[in-house]
Amino acid sequence: MTAQRPAVGDRRVLVPDAPAAGGAAAARTEDGVVFVDGALPGETVEVELTQVKKRFARARVTSVVTPSEHRVPDRLAACGAAGVGGVEFASVDLAYSRRLKAEAARQQLERIGGIEWDLRVSSLPREADGGSGMDWRTRVQLAVGPDGQPGLRAGGSHRVVPVSRIPLAVDELNDLGLHRQTLPGLSRLELVASAGGGAIIAVGQPKEAVLGKLREIAAAQPGAWSVLLRTEGKRNRGRPAPPQVLAGTGRVREEVRGQRFGLDADGFWQVHVDAADVLSAKVLEFAGRPQSALDLYCGAGLFSVFLAKAGAKVTGLEGSQAAIQSARANAEGLPAKFEVGRIETLGMLPPADTVVLDPPRAGAGEDVVNMIGASAAGRVVYVSCDAGTFARDARGLLDCGFELAHLQGWDAFPLTKHTEFTAVFTR
């Protein structure tokens, strides 16, 4: 052991040797593991410790002494966005970033779930066809600084960094030009691009002149665009009040393999431009041809609709009343019914041959996993956006008598630390 314990602010030269969860790289030292943000395995880097715990520490790269062959020029710099958070692999070759994600996920599967799996992470069509990984997000949030300038948060900070281009966003959102406006009174902008239009959701207490500018920008775009205002602090029965529609319908339209879906502008939808298509097709493949299916966390009914079109009698459950209303409209005429409810509090699940679930990043959790285990379902199709919580829930399903039949990773969040997973369990 070293004579003196490491402390925040200490500087060291390290050589990480493995990827880790969260987009970091792990370096083994006499004092324990150091997780280094901004480093790649095999590089020699100078770092500054940012957090010190008993068994591990975290650090950030201050300079790269010997770069990896997989390091590329910082993509954020080209957007005038150097230093912003949420693009952990901005300086990493895109194909290599998928290898790092796969290895980090394999470690979590084994450590948390006791599962050994030769996991692969595949690109979605936009990137498979030569995309850069910088133009896939159809939903973006911009912070707005005290001066009214929109931008993105600096990594690990609340500071708003103005940008010349919104990194990762599809062209339709950059074409709005809102990141170049001055919008006093706002704290945040939520931008949505959809099939044939989109939405601008303003958050804060702006004056009419700012709202008028947003209406003008929306009206100038091709297609149908809405403008909505969410007033900070305004709540309805303990929940944030729904935004006020200032222009347009307040709804967006999505299209997946010829099927149209409508939902509220602030409702959940897959953020990658290709994710809804790929994931719904994979869910349909994994589900087989069940006579009945239960769709947990069904949202606006993406999976339910395609399962019902394939002949299954579908029951969809979701905690959001607005999402359930959209799901009912989207599945009109199909053998599907939808109910609002907190899934973890049900106690018992409705009967079904197959259970499909796409929970939030926190995963399904023990109560839901145990309900699935206690049901008569012989097949579970699990869609997840977090390796750690998926590994935990997968372990629970295995303990309930299921076997993991297939697991696939998808790079549905290119150049970020996140990965999507589709899995099927059978018994």
Side-chain angles (χ1 to χ4, degrees):
M1 298 293 289
T2 56
Q4 185 175 358
R5 290 290 299 167
V8 172
D10 285 356
R11 292 178 178 267
R12 295 185 174 187
V13 176
L14 299 175
V15 182
D17 62 2
R28 275 85 180 167
T29 75
E30 291 179 331
D31 299 302
V33 177
V34 181
F35 298 105
V36 184
D37 292 324
L40 297 178
E43 292 186 322
T44 302
V45 291
E46 293 181 351
V47 307
E48 178 183 0
L49 299 185
T50 57
Q51 183 184 44
V52 177
K53 297 290 186 180
K54 185 176 182 179
R55 295 184 179 179
F56 70 92
R58 297 191 182 278
R60 66 177 183 88
V61 172
T62 56
S63 67
V64 179
V65 179
T66 306
S68 165
E69 63 180 312
H70 303 293
R71 183 173 286 274
V72 301
D74 183 5
R75 297 175 178 87
L76 292 175
C79 299
V84 305
V87 195
E88 291 79 12
F89 295 117
S91 298
V92 184
D93 173 74
L94 182 56
Y96 185 62
S97 74
R98 291 194 287 271
R99 289 168 52 187
L100 295 178
K101 291 184 183 188
E103 177 57 33
R106 281 195 291 267
Q107 293 173 15
Q108 289 183 289
L109 284 169
E110 186 170 353
R111 178 173 55 85
I112 299 171
I115 299 167
E116 293 186 8
W117 196 274
D118 185 20
L119 182 69
R120 295 290 184 268
V121 174
S122 300
S123 58
L124 296 188
R126 174 157 296 199
E127 290 70 44
D129 292 340
S132 67
M134 288 291 285
D135 60 351
W136 52 269
R137 284 196 75 102
T138 61
R139 272 84 176 150
V140 168
Q141 287 193 14
L142 298 179
V144 182
D147 59 355
Q149 174 64 58
L152 296 172
R153 302 280 187 191
S157 168
H158 292 293
R159 180 171 60 88
V160 178
V161 178
V163 298
S164 59
R165 182 173 179 81
I166 306 171
L168 307 184
V170 294
D171 288 345
E172 291 88 339
L173 297 183
N174 271 295
D175 290 346
L176 291 170
L178 286 166
H179 54 293
R180 295 187 292 269
Q181 299 290 330
T182 300
L183 303 168
L186 295 185
S187 62
R188 190 169 75 250
L189 282 168
E190 300 170 10
L191 310 180
V192 178
S194 64
I200 301 167
I201 304 172
V203 181
Q205 296 179 325
K207 294 184 177 180
E208 177 56 35
V210 169
L211 298 178
K213 183 184 294 187
L214 296 180
R215 291 190 193 95
E216 290 178 7
I217 290 172
Q221 306 308 308
W225 284 76
S226 295
V227 178
L228 302 92
L229 174 64
R230 180 181 290 119
T231 303
E232 288 181 310
K234 191 172 182 180
R235 305 184 73 82
N236 180 19
R237 296 183 180 179
R239 297 183 178 182
Q244 176 187 0
V245 178
L246 304 179
T249 64
R251 305 270 294 172
V252 294
R253 178 175 60 83
E254 302 289 352
E255 189 165 327
V256 181
R257 301 197 303 282
Q259 180 71 36
R260 290 188 174 186
F261 294 84
L263 64 152
D264 288 349
D266 61 343
F268 172 79
W269 191 258
Q270 298 290 340
V271 297
H272 190 292
V273 67
D274 296 322
D277 190 341
V278 170
L279 296 178
S280 61
K282 188 57 63 173
V283 165
L284 203 59
E285 173 191 337
F286 281 179
R289 288 194 170 274
Q291 291 185 339
S292 59
L294 179 61
D295 187 4
L296 304 181
Y297 314 96
C298 66
L302 172 64
F303 301 149
S304 294
V305 165
F306 285 108
L307 288 166
K309 289 185 69 174
K313 294 181 179 179
V314 180
T315 299
L317 300 176
E318 162 66 48
S320 166
Q321 176 69 52
I324 287 295
Q325 290 174 346
S326 294
R328 288 169 177 161
N330 292 330
E332 186 176 1
L334 294 172
K337 61 180 181 179
F338 300 90
E339 300 295 339
V340 180
R342 291 182 57 190
I343 296 165
E344 65 274 16
T345 66
L346 293 178
M348 180 182 296
L349 296 178
D353 302 334
T354 295
V355 174
V356 174
L357 67 160
D358 183 8
R361 203 172 298 280
E366 183 179 6
D367 291 341
V368 175
V369 168
N370 286 340
M371 280 189 278
I372 295 172
S375 75
R379 181 177 292 259
V380 175
V381 181
Y382 195 134
V383 180
S384 170
C385 59
D386 186 272
T389 57
F390 170 77
R392 178 203 66 204
D393 291 345
R395 179 70 264 165
L397 289 169
L398 296 179
D399 291 343
C400 288
F402 286 93
E403 293 184 359
L404 179 58
H406 190 82
L407 173 61
Q408 172 71 54
W410 302 96
D411 197 13
F413 311 92
L415 301 178
T416 79
K417 63 185 179 183
H418 300 298
T419 308
E420 195 85 7
F421 303 91
T422 52
V424 59
F425 298 82
T426 59
R427 64 179 176 183

